[in-house]
Amino acid sequence: QVQLVESGGGLVQAGDSLRLSCAASGRTFSNYAMGWFRQAPGKERVFVADVNRSGGSTAYADSVKGRFTISRDNAKKTVYLQMNSLKPEDTAVYYCAARAVVSAAYDYWGQGTQVTVSS
C-alpha cells in the first residue's frame, strides 16, 4: 500500500503561482511513477502531468505545458507540481497518484487539494 497526502492548494489570483506537494508513505516511493490529475466542478478527472520513477522523464497535458512543472524528491518521498501563470480555468481539485511499473493504470490516489484561481 501507498498512502498519498496532497498539500499546498489555496485561493490565488490569475497570474499567481502555487506549488503543490504530495507526500508518500508506505512502500518504496521510487518504485512508482507519479502523476497529477485534476477535476473541475461538473467535469471528469483529467491528466495534468506525470514523472517517471527517477524523475528524468516528464509529460504534461497541453493545457499546462510551459506553465506547470512536475518534479520529485525520492529521498523525501515527495512529488511536486509547480504551477505558474495560473488561470481561472486551472481551478479544480488536484490529485496525486502513484503507478507501479507493472501497472497500466494508477494504483493509489490522494484525497485531493483544492486550487481556486480568481480572475
Side-chain angles (χ1 to χ4, degrees):
Q1 289 284 341
V2 175
Q3 293 79 41
L4 303 172
V5 179
E6 301 97 335
S7 61
L11 172 63
V12 297
Q13 293 187 333
D16 285 350
S17 298
L18 273 178
R19 188 176 81 157
L20 305 183
S21 299
C22 174
S25 61
R27 293 193 173 183
T28 305
F29 180 69
S30 58
N31 286 347
Y32 295 85
M34 299 297 297
W36 284 98
F37 294 76
R38 68 186 182 187
Q39 187 169 19
K43 296 187 177 181
E44 294 185 351
R45 187 160 56 189
V46 297
F47 169 79
V48 174
D50 67 14
V51 59
N52 69 347
R53 290 179 294 160
S54 69
S57 178
T58 58
Y60 298 91
D62 286 344
S63 58
V64 306
K65 203 171 293 183
R67 299 188 298 123
F68 290 11
T69 303
I70 188 171
S71 61
R72 66 189 294 161
D73 185 331
N74 285 344
K76 295 182 177 180
K77 297 184 178 181
T78 301
V79 61
Y80 305 98
L81 186 68
Q82 177 67 44
M83 305 186 295
N84 298 330
S85 302
L86 283 162
K87 304 175 181 180
E89 51 264 43
D90 295 318
T91 295
V93 177
Y94 283 72
Y95 300 89
C96 72
R99 177 172 57 83
V101 64
V102 296
S103 295
Y106 282 83
D107 305 288
Y108 303 101
W109 295 82
Q111 83 289 347
T113 185
Q114 176 71 47
V115 173
T116 303
V117 185
S118 64
S119 57

PDB file of all heavy atoms in Angstrom, residues 33-58:
ATOM      1  N   ALA A  33       5.953   5.419 -10.624  1.00  0.00           N
ATOM      2  CA  ALA A  33       5.775   6.646 -11.378  1.00  0.00           C
ATOM      3  C   ALA A  33       4.678   7.446 -10.675  1.00  0.00           C
ATOM      4  O   ALA A  33       3.776   6.876 -10.057  1.00  0.00           O
ATOM      5  CB  ALA A  33       5.357   6.334 -12.811  1.00  0.00           C
ATOM      6  N   MET A  34       4.772   8.764 -10.782  1.00  0.00           N
ATOM      7  CA  MET A  34       3.816   9.627 -10.078  1.00  0.00           C
ATOM      8  C   MET A  34       3.143  10.574 -11.055  1.00  0.00           C
ATOM      9  O   MET A  34       3.765  11.036 -12.018  1.00  0.00           O
ATOM     10  CB  MET A  34       4.543  10.437  -9.011  1.00  0.00           C
ATOM     11  CG  MET A  34       5.215   9.607  -7.936  1.00  0.00           C
ATOM     12  SD  MET A  34       4.044   8.630  -6.970  1.00  0.00           S
ATOM     13  CE  MET A  34       3.059   9.931  -6.204  1.00  0.00           C
ATOM     14  N   GLY A  35       1.888  10.844 -10.780  1.00  0.00           N
ATOM     15  CA  GLY A  35       1.146  11.742 -11.649  1.00  0.00           C
ATOM     16  C   GLY A  35       0.300  12.723 -10.864  1.00  0.00           C
ATOM     17  O   GLY A  35      -0.012  12.497  -9.695  1.00  0.00           O
ATOM     18  N   TRP A  36      -0.048  13.807 -11.543  1.00  0.00           N
ATOM     19  CA  TRP A  36      -1.017  14.776 -11.018  1.00  0.00           C
ATOM     20  C   TRP A  36      -2.203  14.801 -11.975  1.00  0.00           C
ATOM     21  O   TRP A  36      -2.023  14.820 -13.197  1.00  0.00           O
ATOM     22  CB  TRP A  36      -0.417  16.170 -10.924  1.00  0.00           C
ATOM     23  CG  TRP A  36       0.523  16.357  -9.781  1.00  0.00           C
ATOM     24  CD1 TRP A  36       1.888  16.288  -9.802  1.00  0.00           C
ATOM     25  CD2 TRP A  36       0.179  16.671  -8.425  1.00  0.00           C
ATOM     26  NE1 TRP A  36       2.404  16.519  -8.562  1.00  0.00           N
ATOM     27  CE2 TRP A  36       1.368  16.766  -7.695  1.00  0.00           C
ATOM     28  CE3 TRP A  36      -1.035  16.879  -7.750  1.00  0.00           C
ATOM     29  CZ2 TRP A  36       1.397  17.053  -6.324  1.00  0.00           C
ATOM     30  CZ3 TRP A  36      -1.012  17.163  -6.404  1.00  0.00           C
ATOM     31  CH2 TRP A  36       0.200  17.252  -5.702  1.00  0.00           C
ATOM     32  N   PHE A  37      -3.379  14.825 -11.392  1.00  0.00           N
ATOM     33  CA  PHE A  37      -4.626  14.919 -12.129  1.00  0.00           C
ATOM     34  C   PHE A  37      -5.451  16.036 -11.506  1.00  0.00           C
ATOM     35  O   PHE A  37      -5.180  16.474 -10.395  1.00  0.00           O
ATOM     36  CB  PHE A  37      -5.391  13.590 -12.042  1.00  0.00           C
ATOM     37  CG  PHE A  37      -4.702  12.446 -12.735  1.00  0.00           C
ATOM     38  CD1 PHE A  37      -3.606  11.821 -12.157  1.00  0.00           C
ATOM     39  CD2 PHE A  37      -5.161  11.989 -13.957  1.00  0.00           C
ATOM     40  CE1 PHE A  37      -2.962  10.770 -12.792  1.00  0.00           C
ATOM     41  CE2 PHE A  37      -4.534  10.935 -14.606  1.00  0.00           C
ATOM     42  CZ  PHE A  37      -3.429  10.334 -14.023  1.00  0.00           C
ATOM     43  N   ARG A  38      -6.459  16.472 -12.216  1.00  0.00           N
ATOM     44  CA  ARG A  38      -7.347  17.486 -11.645  1.00  0.00           C
ATOM     45  C   ARG A  38      -8.777  17.250 -12.099  1.00  0.00           C
ATOM     46  O   ARG A  38      -9.031  16.686 -13.164  1.00  0.00           O
ATOM     47  CB  ARG A  38      -6.890  18.894 -12.012  1.00  0.00           C
ATOM     48  CG  ARG A  38      -7.011  19.269 -13.477  1.00  0.00           C
ATOM     49  CD  ARG A  38      -6.373  20.640 -13.713  1.00  0.00           C
ATOM     50  NE  ARG A  38      -6.507  21.081 -15.098  1.00  0.00           N
ATOM     51  CZ  ARG A  38      -5.925  22.176 -15.581  1.00  0.00           C
ATOM     52  NH1 ARG A  38      -5.180  22.951 -14.787  1.00  0.00           N
ATOM     53  NH2 ARG A  38      -6.099  22.512 -16.846  1.00  0.00           N
ATOM     54  N   GLN A  39      -9.696  17.705 -11.257  1.00  0.00           N
ATOM     55  CA  GLN A  39     -11.113  17.582 -11.551  1.00  0.00           C
ATOM     56  C   GLN A  39     -11.801  18.895 -11.245  1.00  0.00           C
ATOM     57  O   GLN A  39     -11.867  19.312 -10.085  1.00  0.00           O
ATOM     58  CB  GLN A  39     -11.736  16.446 -10.750  1.00  0.00           C
ATOM     59  CG  GLN A  39     -13.175  16.153 -11.133  1.00  0.00           C
ATOM     60  CD  GLN A  39     -13.684  14.864 -10.529  1.00  0.00           C
ATOM     61  OE1 GLN A  39     -13.126  14.332  -9.560  1.00  0.00           O
ATOM     62  NE2 GLN A  39     -14.736  14.322 -11.097  1.00  0.00           N
ATOM     63  N   ALA A  40     -12.295  19.518 -12.287  1.00  0.00           N
ATOM     64  CA  ALA A  40     -13.047  20.758 -12.146  1.00  0.00           C
ATOM     65  C   ALA A  40     -14.501  20.434 -11.837  1.00  0.00           C
ATOM     66  O   ALA A  40     -14.979  19.333 -12.141  1.00  0.00           O
ATOM     67  CB  ALA A  40     -12.936  21.574 -13.423  1.00  0.00           C
ATOM     68  N   PRO A  41     -15.234  21.376 -11.240  1.00  0.00           N
ATOM     69  CA  PRO A  41     -16.639  21.129 -10.894  1.00  0.00           C
ATOM     70  C   PRO A  41     -17.456  20.695 -12.111  1.00  0.00           C
ATOM     71  O   PRO A  41     -17.403  21.339 -13.166  1.00  0.00           O
ATOM     72  CB  PRO A  41     -17.113  22.480 -10.370  1.00  0.00           C
ATOM     73  CG  PRO A  41     -15.879  23.145  -9.871  1.00  0.00           C
ATOM     74  CD  PRO A  41     -14.779  22.699 -10.793  1.00  0.00           C
ATOM     75  N   GLY A  42     -18.144  19.585 -11.974  1.00  0.00           N
ATOM     76  CA  GLY A  42     -19.002  19.094 -13.037  1.00  0.00           C
ATOM     77  C   GLY A  42     -18.284  18.429 -14.188  1.00  0.00           C
ATOM     78  O   GLY A  42     -18.903  18.092 -15.205  1.00  0.00           O
ATOM     79  N   LYS A  43     -16.977  18.236 -14.044  1.00  0.00           N
ATOM     80  CA  LYS A  43     -16.203  17.626 -15.125  1.00  0.00           C
ATOM     81  C   LYS A  43     -15.485  16.372 -14.634  1.00  0.00           C
ATOM     82  O   LYS A  43     -15.373  16.132 -13.448  1.00  0.00           O
ATOM     83  CB  LYS A  43     -15.195  18.628 -15.680  1.00  0.00           C
ATOM     84  CG  LYS A  43     -15.837  19.845 -16.325  1.00  0.00           C
ATOM     85  CD  LYS A  43     -14.806  20.718 -16.992  1.00  0.00           C
ATOM     86  CE  LYS A  43     -15.459  21.894 -17.691  1.00  0.00           C
ATOM     87  NZ  LYS A  43     -14.454  22.764 -18.385  1.00  0.00           N
ATOM     88  N   GLU A  44     -15.004  15.591 -15.586  1.00  0.00           N
ATOM     89  CA  GLU A  44     -14.266  14.391 -15.244  1.00  0.00           C
ATOM     90  C   GLU A  44     -12.844  14.740 -14.811  1.00  0.00           C
ATOM     91  O   GLU A  44     -12.303  15.789 -15.159  1.00  0.00           O
ATOM     92  CB  GLU A  44     -14.226  13.445 -16.453  1.00  0.00           C
ATOM     93  CG  GLU A  44     -15.574  12.882 -16.844  1.00  0.00           C
ATOM     94  CD  GLU A  44     -15.469  11.853 -17.956  1.00  0.00           C
ATOM     95  OE1 GLU A  44     -14.377  11.709 -18.536  1.00  0.00           O
ATOM     96  OE2 GLU A  44     -16.479  11.187 -18.234  1.00  0.00           O
ATOM     97  N   ARG A  45     -12.254  13.823 -14.077  1.00  0.00           N
ATOM     98  CA  ARG A  45     -10.857  13.989 -13.689  1.00  0.00           C
ATOM     99  C   ARG A  45      -9.969  13.784 -14.906  1.00  0.00           C
ATOM    100  O   ARG A  45     -10.160  12.823 -15.667  1.00  0.00           O
ATOM    101  CB  ARG A  45     -10.511  13.000 -12.582  1.00  0.00           C
ATOM    102  CG  ARG A  45      -9.146  13.185 -11.982  1.00  0.00           C
ATOM    103  CD  ARG A  45      -9.044  12.530 -10.623  1.00  0.00           C
ATOM    104  NE  ARG A  45      -9.371  11.124 -10.651  1.00  0.00           N
ATOM    105  CZ  ARG A  45      -9.513  10.370  -9.556  1.00  0.00           C
ATOM    106  NH1 ARG A  45      -9.357  10.921  -8.352  1.00  0.00           N
ATOM    107  NH2 ARG A  45      -9.815   9.096  -9.662  1.00  0.00           N
ATOM    108  N   VAL A  46      -8.993  14.661 -15.079  1.00  0.00           N
ATOM    109  CA  VAL A  46      -8.136  14.604 -16.256  1.00  0.00           C
ATOM    110  C   VAL A  46      -6.663  14.646 -15.854  1.00  0.00           C
ATOM    111  O   VAL A  46      -6.295  15.150 -14.800  1.00  0.00           O
ATOM    112  CB  VAL A  46      -8.440  15.754 -17.235  1.00  0.00           C
ATOM    113  CG1 VAL A  46      -9.862  15.643 -17.767  1.00  0.00           C
ATOM    114  CG2 VAL A  46      -8.210  17.115 -16.597  1.00  0.00           C
ATOM    115  N   PHE A  47      -5.857  14.153 -16.721  1.00  0.00           N
ATOM    116  CA  PHE A  47      -4.413  14.119 -16.539  1.00  0.00           C
ATOM    117  C   PHE A  47      -3.827  15.533 -16.623  1.00  0.00           C
ATOM    118  O   PHE A  47      -4.233  16.335 -17.463  1.00  0.00           O
ATOM    119  CB  PHE A  47      -3.807  13.237 -17.627  1.00  0.00           C
ATOM    120  CG  PHE A  47      -2.311  13.304 -17.737  1.00  0.00           C
ATOM    121  CD1 PHE A  47      -1.512  12.598 -16.849  1.00  0.00           C
ATOM    122  CD2 PHE A  47      -1.705  14.067 -18.718  1.00  0.00           C
ATOM    123  CE1 PHE A  47      -0.138  12.654 -16.944  1.00  0.00           C
ATOM    124  CE2 PHE A  47      -0.324  14.127 -18.828  1.00  0.00           C
ATOM    125  CZ  PHE A  47       0.466  13.420 -17.943  1.00  0.00           C
ATOM    126  N   VAL A  48      -2.856  15.791 -15.722  1.00  0.00           N
ATOM    127  CA  VAL A  48      -2.150  17.068 -15.750  1.00  0.00           C
ATOM    128  C   VAL A  48      -0.674  16.854 -16.110  1.00  0.00           C
ATOM    129  O   VAL A  48      -0.145  17.469 -17.031  1.00  0.00           O
ATOM    130  CB  VAL A  48      -2.255  17.785 -14.391  1.00  0.00           C
ATOM    131  CG1 VAL A  48      -1.399  19.039 -14.367  1.00  0.00           C
ATOM    132  CG2 VAL A  48      -3.716  18.112 -14.078  1.00  0.00           C
ATOM    133  N   ALA A  49      -0.013  15.971 -15.344  1.00  0.00           N
ATOM    134  CA  ALA A  49       1.422  15.753 -15.567  1.00  0.00           C
ATOM    135  C   ALA A  49       1.825  14.450 -14.914  1.00  0.00           C
ATOM    136  O   ALA A  49       1.156  13.977 -13.989  1.00  0.00           O
ATOM    137  CB  ALA A  49       2.237  16.905 -14.989  1.00  0.00           C
ATOM    138  N   ASP A  50       2.925  13.882 -15.401  1.00  0.00           N
ATOM    139  CA  ASP A  50       3.487  12.734 -14.709  1.00  0.00           C
ATOM    140  C   ASP A  50       5.008  12.739 -14.810  1.00  0.00           C
ATOM    141  O   ASP A  50       5.599  13.470 -15.613  1.00  0.00           O
ATOM    142  CB  ASP A  50       2.879  11.406 -15.171  1.00  0.00           C
ATOM    143  CG  ASP A  50       3.226  11.035 -16.597  1.00  0.00           C
ATOM    144  OD1 ASP A  50       4.141  11.642 -17.190  1.00  0.00           O
ATOM    145  OD2 ASP A  50       2.576  10.119 -17.135  1.00  0.00           O
ATOM    146  N   VAL A  51       5.603  11.937 -13.939  1.00  0.00           N
ATOM    147  CA  VAL A  51       7.063  11.846 -13.880  1.00  0.00           C
ATOM    148  C   VAL A  51       7.432  10.392 -13.637  1.00  0.00           C
ATOM    149  O   VAL A  51       6.752   9.681 -12.895  1.00  0.00           O
ATOM    150  CB  VAL A  51       7.623  12.781 -12.777  1.00  0.00           C
ATOM    151  CG1 VAL A  51       7.063  12.441 -11.407  1.00  0.00           C
ATOM    152  CG2 VAL A  51       9.148  12.777 -12.770  1.00  0.00           C
ATOM    153  N   ASN A  52       8.495   9.944 -14.270  1.00  0.00           N
ATOM    154  CA  ASN A  52       8.877   8.541 -14.113  1.00  0.00           C
ATOM    155  C   ASN A  52       9.570   8.335 -12.769  1.00  0.00           C
ATOM    156  O   ASN A  52       9.716   9.256 -11.967  1.00  0.00           O
ATOM    157  CB  ASN A  52       9.742   8.076 -15.279  1.00  0.00           C
ATOM    158  CG  ASN A  52      11.127   8.709 -15.293  1.00  0.00           C
ATOM    159  OD1 ASN A  52      11.385   9.676 -14.574  1.00  0.00           O
ATOM    160  ND2 ASN A  52      12.000   8.170 -16.103  1.00  0.00           N
ATOM    161  N   ARG A  53       9.982   7.111 -12.531  1.00  0.00           N
ATOM    162  CA  ARG A  53      10.480   6.761 -11.210  1.00  0.00           C
ATOM    163  C   ARG A  53      11.731   7.537 -10.813  1.00  0.00           C
ATOM    164  O   ARG A  53      11.903   7.906  -9.657  1.00  0.00           O
ATOM    165  CB  ARG A  53      10.747   5.260 -11.133  1.00  0.00           C
ATOM    166  CG  ARG A  53       9.488   4.414 -11.149  1.00  0.00           C
ATOM    167  CD  ARG A  53       9.823   2.942 -11.083  1.00  0.00           C
ATOM    168  NE  ARG A  53      10.519   2.504 -12.285  1.00  0.00           N
ATOM    169  CZ  ARG A  53      11.255   1.400 -12.347  1.00  0.00           C
ATOM    170  NH1 ARG A  53      11.409   0.635 -11.281  1.00  0.00           N
ATOM    171  NH2 ARG A  53      11.838   1.055 -13.476  1.00  0.00           N
ATOM    172  N   SER A  54      12.591   7.816 -11.757  1.00  0.00           N
ATOM    173  CA  SER A  54      13.843   8.506 -11.440  1.00  0.00           C
ATOM    174  C   SER A  54      13.700  10.019 -11.441  1.00  0.00           C
ATOM    175  O   SER A  54      14.550  10.735 -10.913  1.00  0.00           O
ATOM    176  CB  SER A  54      14.926   8.106 -12.441  1.00  0.00           C
ATOM    177  OG  SER A  54      14.630   8.625 -13.725  1.00  0.00           O
ATOM    178  N   GLY A  55      12.633  10.507 -12.073  1.00  0.00           N
ATOM    179  CA  GLY A  55      12.456  11.941 -12.233  1.00  0.00           C
ATOM    180  C   GLY A  55      13.038  12.474 -13.516  1.00  0.00           C
ATOM    181  O   GLY A  55      12.947  13.662 -13.799  1.00  0.00           O
ATOM    182  N   GLY A  56      13.589  11.595 -14.328  1.00  0.00           N
ATOM    183  CA  GLY A  56      14.258  12.039 -15.539  1.00  0.00           C
ATOM    184  C   GLY A  56      13.358  12.237 -16.739  1.00  0.00           C
ATOM    185  O   GLY A  56      13.797  12.793 -17.758  1.00  0.00           O
ATOM    186  N   SER A  57      12.127  11.795 -16.647  1.00  0.00           N
ATOM    187  CA  SER A  57      11.204  11.915 -17.768  1.00  0.00           C
ATOM    188  C   SER A  57       9.861  12.417 -17.265  1.00  0.00           C
ATOM    189  O   SER A  57       9.317  11.900 -16.295  1.00  0.00           O
ATOM    190  CB  SER A  57      11.027  10.559 -18.456  1.00  0.00           C
ATOM    191  OG  SER A  57      10.106  10.642 -19.523  1.00  0.00           O
ATOM    192  N   THR A  58       9.343  13.426 -17.948  1.00  0.00           N
ATOM    193  CA  THR A  58       8.073  14.019 -17.557  1.00  0.00           C
ATOM    194  C   THR A  58       7.165  14.172 -18.778  1.00  0.00           C
ATOM    195  O   THR A  58       7.628  14.156 -19.918  1.00  0.00           O
ATOM    196  CB  THR A  58       8.267  15.402 -16.928  1.00  0.00           C
ATOM    197  OG1 THR A  58       8.936  16.257 -17.865  1.00  0.00           O
ATOM    198  CG2 THR A  58       9.092  15.318 -15.656  1.00  0.00           C
TER     199      THR A  58
END
